[in-house]
Amino acid sequence: MVVCVCNAIREREVREAARNGAASACQAYALCGKQAKCGQCVPFARAIIDAERAAA
């Protein structure tokens, strides 16, 4: 599933970034070599990161 349309970042990339230490959407996007643009995706990315961190 695509999380960020602006950057074409997929859910699996956000999950992987969270497993690699990203605690926020901005950190996850930076690990993907991108940055948030319009911001519509940030709440969804944050929820994915929170779920990954809770499962760890």
Side-chain angles (χ1 to χ4, degrees):
M1 169 183 289
V2 174
V3 174
C4 176
V5 175
C6 297
N7 288 306
I9 297 174
R10 298 192 168 278
E11 182 178 348
R12 65 178 161 74
E13 294 173 289
V14 175
R15 289 189 183 280
E16 184 177 331
R19 289 190 293 267
N20 288 324
S24 69
C26 290
Q27 290 175 351
Y29 292 5
L31 287 173
C32 295
K34 310 276 172 83
Q35 64 181 2
K37 293 184 180 185
C38 75
Q40 292 279 355
C41 56
V42 172
F44 184 39
R46 191 176 300 136
I48 293 167
I49 292 165
D50 290 346
E52 277 299 313
R53 293 172 62 86

